[in-house]
Amino acid sequence: MYRKNTLYIDIDDTIIAEVLPGSGRDLRPCVITQLTVLGQLFDCCWLTSWPYSPAHAPSYGMCVQTLMHALYAHRVNETFRYARWDHEHPDGKAGFVLSPDQPEEWYWLEDPIPAGERDALAAAGKLDRYIPVDPQGPWGFLDAVNELFVRTGITRSAFDRVGARPAWFDRTALLF
């Protein structure tokens, strides 16, 4: 049986970023399609500071569920888990992914992490599981996802198995 690696994904500066210099923050190109495919290829888990549900959201109400519903991406939340990590942990999010109760086989897509988190990953021999996402420009997430595919050996046959198209992960195909 095919066993999926866990994939941790951040939101701010990862799937939402300053796409154009000096602009506001936008969703990166084709990211909902890419997340949908990632949810079929990996055991995906939101690893973000955003609260998951409206019940845990601040008064302005923004949370992962609301965001995905607003983007017509509610199915993403049907396949993604949510990490409830200790925001006070000295190793930050790295403390969560390195926790003994988390899966051993994982990758992490995140904007640049602080030195302490990098040190924790390096000390555990897992720095290669972190794939940095450029926090600016349209292609940071896509570039990181393509690096993920290289590191995990995702091939055209894996795309075919889940009904995905390689063009959805090709920046030249996404230029309109």
Side-chain angles (χ1 to χ4, degrees):
M1 183 178 140
Y2 176 72
R3 182 181 170 124
K4 295 180 180 182
N5 285 327
T6 297
L7 176 60
Y8 299 105
I9 303 174
D10 182 40
I11 293 178
D12 284 328
D13 296 325
T14 300
I15 66 167
I16 297 173
E18 183 181 297
V19 173
L20 299 171
S23 71
R25 298 168 62 72
D26 291 299
L27 197 62
R28 300 210 196 219
C30 210
V31 78
I32 299 303
T33 298
Q34 294 160 358
L35 290 171
T36 301
V37 172
L38 289 171
Q40 296 171 343
L41 296 172
F42 297 91
D43 172 25
C44 291
C45 183
W46 292 117
L47 183 56
T48 179
S49 294
W50 287 47
Y52 183 69
S53 69
H56 298 102
S59 59
Y60 58 84
M62 189 47 73
C63 63
V64 174
Q65 285 182 335
T66 302
L67 174 67
M68 290 295 115
H69 281 277
L71 296 171
Y72 301 98
H74 62 279
R75 288 192 178 100
V76 168
N77 280 342
E78 293 170 4
T79 59
F80 278 42
R81 294 181 295 114
Y82 178 80
R84 297 196 190 286
W85 60 283
D86 179 0
H87 294 243
E88 304 301 320
H89 192 285
D91 293 329
K93 291 178 183 177
F96 178 83
V97 300
L98 295 171
S99 175
D101 62 337
Q102 292 306 308
E104 273 208 33
E105 295 301 318
W106 55 268
Y107 289 87
W108 179 18
L109 301 178
E110 171 88 45
D111 55 284
I113 58 176
E117 289 187 57
R118 289 184 70 82
D119 294 345
L121 292 175
K126 298 284 190 175
L127 187 56
D128 65 323
R129 297 305 179 107
Y130 160 65
I131 302 173
V133 176
D134 187 338
Q136 296 185 327
W139 308 117
F141 184 72
L142 178 63
D143 292 345
V145 168
N146 282 319
E147 177 62 24
L148 171 71
F149 292 160
V150 169
R151 291 188 192 185
T152 59
I154 296 293
T155 63
R156 175 69 185 249
S157 65
F159 279 22
D160 291 344
R161 183 173 43 81
V162 299
R165 296 183 184 155
W168 299 341
F169 297 90
D170 178 354
R171 77 165 65 178
T172 60
L174 298 177
L175 296 173
F176 326 119

